[in-house]
Amino acid sequence: MGKAKHSKPPSADAAVRMTTAEATVGALIAHGIDTVYVLPGVHNDPLFDALFKAGDHIRTVHTRHEQGAAYLALGAALATGKPQVYSVVPGPGLLNSAAALLTAYGMNAPVLALIGQISQSAIGRGLGHLHEIRDQAGIIARLVDFSARIRAPTQAAALVAQAVRAMATGRPGPAVLECAIDVWDRSALAPAIAPVLPQPPQPIDEDAIRDAAKRLAAAKRPLIVAGGGAQDAATEVAELSRLLQAPVLGYRRGRGVLDSRDPLSVTLPLGRELWGEADVVLGVGTRLFYGYTHWGIDEELAIIRIDADPDEPERFARPAVALIGDAGPILRRLIDALAAHHRPSRRADMEERQARMRRRLDKLAPQIGFLDAIRAELPEDGIFVDEVTQIGFAARLLLPVYKPRTFLSPGYQDNLGWGYATALGAQHARPDVPVLSIAGDGGFLFTSNELATALHHRIPLTVVVFNDGAFGNVRRTQEEQYGNRLIASDLTNPDFVRYAESFGAEAERARSPQQLRAALQRAFKRRDGPTLIEVPVAAMPSPWEFIHMPRVRGIR
Ligand SMILES: Cc1ncc(C[n+]2csc(CCOP(=O)(O)OP(=O)(O)O)c2C)c(N)n1
Ligand SMILES: [Mg+2]
């Protein structure tokens, strides 16, 4: 798109004269960053010029709102597991992107934000410069664990390297680099290639491995709980689960760690039932939030935690054993220590339990009909992007998920409206597989303006909008718990098909699961642009009895 096609990659030779912006872009490229999701503005003009000059070595994808830029980066990070970058102007640009940054923090997603600043000498003086915001660095420091301001060209490469390393060290998560409007184009002799900092070594606590292995070997009813931190340790989780015949509970961010077709793979509410019976729970990359806060623990239950964040295991209560570091290598050590272990198959028992629970969940029949249509058409490695909507809540419980990183769910922020733009980023970063975004009529309009981005950058994302004419979740609560005093929950919607078509997208309406299947078939064949499918729906049965469930064991 008008970019220089033959500019050279930054050379590995000695220092050359370059601007802060050029050094930053060179460092991003050296760290394997191939895309920057952006919304430009005067504070960052030199950065954009450096991106232009970098030619094909880095793509620039501009969105229609800063929240879109940040969500696209988040979606790309979640779909690939690799660091992703977005850039926006300071003040309102930063704040517009902040909900996505907050979500990236909650999901431990490696999203690097490059945020502009007013001129270096004016920062903190309250003079009223364009986009000035009081204590921007302080606001940022509340949102992410690693942040810094680039104050000179010679600092740029090293700070990018530090930010990228910080995003992958300990608890992973987002990072922010600020740079002042007058620093971006300051030039100096700077190292041409940023040093990629090695990850610090992660020694594994062998005593803790022995202790954990002993407890797991002796456990009569072990349960594994997998969270977002287990997504890259799926092979090891599956192996350990097989060895111990231990069910694996994955909900929201833990879906897809163990293939749903394995009878040991469970979601809620079966996970709660198993939690109630367990004598040892192994939490892998999860806060164990539901277990600790809803279902309860007692003296018969020993908890073993594997977590990248050394502070995490003791947040609720001290576990029996804590193993700190990457889940994969730690699980591998546990598997080695348990190699001689053999247990009778739990298949028959688990199949019986799954069938029994499924009969209860059949109460969600309208949602299941649509989920079945989706699963039938979305390929095994296709990516499903969840939303805070009835089909999403049901998907977390019921959609079969076959592979890690194919079910993207917003974690504990559960922020309405994240879905469409996040899915766009996932689809942009993974053009090789279809990505399906679902949304309610409420959530979709939060980022539906990014349909223009999908068209502009030819991102072949499919979205299904389930339209009940309401913030349905809120309305149902008002009906059931507040004497039907309905307030602020009815919606006036556009004609979604004509709306999407007006952007140039393909769009159609599907009125049944059968029609949805046929529409999805057509949509997934299209690889040159976006599709919207509107599904008009009635109010749906509540999923909450399967999500917020009472205590199953003792007082904490
Ligand atoms: C950022 C944010 N704002 C508000 C909410 C509260 N909230 C949860 S569900 C919901 C309504 C969702 O409506 P819609 O997207 O149409 O889905 P439906 O429940 O109708 O299927 C709202 C407002 C939220 N979770 N996140
Ligand atoms: Mg709705």
Side-chain angles (χ1 to χ4, degrees):
M1 254 159 269
K3 276 195 168 185
K5 288 272 179 257
H6 17 253
S7 52
K8 292 206 179 89
S11 91
D13 300 343
V16 287
R17 189 152 201 96
M18 63 175 91
T19 65
T20 306
E22 288 163 353
T24 301
V25 171
L28 295 178
I29 294 169
H31 281 85
I33 303 294
D34 60 14
T35 306
V36 186
Y37 300 95
V38 302
L39 206 146
V42 66
H43 294 78
N44 294 332
D45 281 348
L47 176 67
F48 283 78
D49 199 41
L51 287 167
F52 181 92
K53 288 179 184 157
D56 291 341
H57 300 293
I58 192 158
R59 291 175 295 182
T60 303
V61 174
H62 56 303
T63 61
R64 303 305 292 268
H65 186 284
E66 282 92 357
Q67 68 169 345
Y71 280 128
L72 261 76
L74 175 60
L78 296 172
T80 62
K82 302 212 172 77
Q84 304 288 338
V85 177
Y86 81 89
S87 180
V88 298
V89 296
L94 166 68
L95 294 186
N96 281 341
S97 78
L101 204 52
L102 174 72
T103 308
Y105 180 80
M107 302 181 76
N108 313 308
V111 171
L112 172 60
L114 300 177
I115 311 285
Q117 245 297 11
I118 60 171
S119 60
Q120 186 77 25
S121 59
I123 293 171
R125 297 179 62 196
L127 300 174
H129 281 275
L130 175 69
H131 302 342
E132 182 169 356
I133 182 169
R134 195 160 51 166
D135 193 16
Q136 176 163 285
I139 292 168
I140 289 168
R142 287 279 182 273
L143 293 172
V144 299
D145 286 335
F146 179 92
S147 58
R149 186 178 308 137
I150 306 172
R151 291 163 194 272
T154 47
Q155 293 179 354
L159 283 176
V160 168
Q162 277 178 39
V164 171
R165 180 162 79 166
M167 291 197 293
T169 307
R171 178 186 282 278
V176 177
L177 293 174
E178 287 179 288
C179 186
I181 185 168
D182 56 333
V183 173
W184 276 132
D185 62 2
R186 215 172 275 169
S187 65
L189 278 178
I193 287 243
V196 176
L197 296 175
Q199 288 296 316
Q202 287 192 328
I204 295 178
D205 179 345
E206 292 299 334
D207 288 343
I209 292 281
R210 266 189 297 278
D211 189 1
K214 212 169 97 193
R215 288 172 185 273
L216 287 167
K220 293 196 178 61
R221 294 168 310 279
L223 169 68
I224 298 172
V225 183
Q231 286 290 343
D232 294 328
T235 311
E236 291 84 357
V237 168
E239 235 175 288
L240 189 63
S241 157
R242 213 173 310 126
L243 260 178
L244 299 170
Q245 287 297 297
V248 177
L249 164 61
Y251 176 60
R252 302 198 302 203
R253 304 203 46 236
R255 300 295 319 279
V257 173
L258 187 63
D259 189 322
S260 299
R261 289 166 294 201
D262 188 326
L264 289 168
S265 174
V266 307
T267 70
L268 312 183
L270 188 47
R272 168 179 169 273
E273 179 181 303
L274 294 161
W275 177 281
E277 299 170 10
D279 51 354
V280 176
V281 163
L282 172 65
V284 184
T286 168
R287 296 175 171 87
L288 289 176
F289 186 88
Y290 278 74
Y292 278 119
T293 57
H294 293 264
W295 307 337
I297 59 172
D298 56 33
E299 267 153 30
E300 266 85 74
L301 175 59
I303 293 190
I304 303 172
R305 310 250 336 232
I306 300 177
D307 210 283
D309 176 357
D311 296 334
E312 177 58 38
E314 303 205 357
R315 285 218 163 94
F316 280 110
R318 179 177 291 235
V321 187
L323 286 150
I324 304 305
D326 262 5
I330 291 174
L331 287 167
R332 180 56 58 200
R333 292 288 302 114
L334 282 177
I335 292 162
D336 292 346
L338 290 162
H341 205 71
H342 181 76
R343 289 189 185 221
S345 167
R346 285 195 69 178
R347 174 173 280 271
D349 168 44
M350 287 303 299
E351 281 175 347
E352 190 274 320
R353 286 173 190 253
Q354 299 265 19
R356 184 167 33 78
M357 201 52 87
R358 176 59 199 243
R359 283 194 291 279
R360 275 187 56 202
L361 284 159
D362 277 343
K363 189 189 153 193
L364 306 179
Q367 291 95 314
I368 290 171
F370 291 118
L371 290 175
D372 285 349
I374 287 171
R375 191 66 273 180
E377 292 307 325
L378 186 67
E380 270 195 34
D381 53 0
I383 297 172
F384 178 94
V385 183
D386 180 25
E387 249 290 359
V388 192
T389 180
Q390 304 314 306
I391 298 294
F393 299 142
R396 297 169 190 183
L397 304 171
L398 280 152
L399 182 75
V401 185
Y402 307 132
K403 297 194 166 168
R405 295 197 181 281
T406 62
F407 186 89
L408 308 186
S409 189
Y412 68 84
Q413 285 303 336
D414 229 359
N415 56 341
L416 185 62
W418 90 309
Y420 188 67
T422 302
L424 263 184
Q427 182 69 87
H428 182 263
R430 290 290 313 274
D432 53 317
V433 293
V435 176
L436 180 70
S437 169
I438 58 138
D441 48 333
F444 180 60
L445 282 190
F446 277 48
T447 55
S448 61
N449 56 329
E450 303 300 351
L451 269 163
T453 303
L455 262 298
H456 190 87
H457 298 283
R458 297 179 181 279
I459 305 174
L461 176 66
T462 302
V463 61
V464 183
V465 180
F466 292 92
N467 180 4
D468 63 353
F471 287 135
N473 205 55
V474 177
R475 182 180 61 189
R476 193 180 46 224
T477 303
Q478 291 168 354
E479 281 165 9
E480 291 178 356
Q481 294 170 37
Y482 291 89
N484 205 29
R485 293 185 294 282
L486 303 181
I487 177 167
S489 57
D490 57 331
L491 298 176
T492 299
N493 284 318
D495 176 327
F496 285 105
V497 170
R498 281 171 52 212
Y499 174 73
E501 283 172 347
S502 75
F503 286 86
E506 289 288 321
E508 62 179 295
R509 201 162 276 120
R511 297 185 183 278
S512 65
Q514 294 71 23
Q515 288 183 10
L516 176 58
R517 253 194 96 161
L520 286 171
Q521 251 169 44
R522 286 186 281 275
F524 290 150
K525 283 204 192 98
R526 264 197 97 209
R527 300 313 291 158
D528 62 344
T531 303
L532 177 146
I533 302 165
E534 185 202 351
V535 181
V537 290
M540 293 192 197
S542 170
W544 293 106
E545 69 185 89
F546 304 113
I547 298 171
H548 289 156
M549 293 171 290
R551 192 171 284 277
V552 266
R553 58 194 307 163
I555 311 296
R556 270 180 36 209

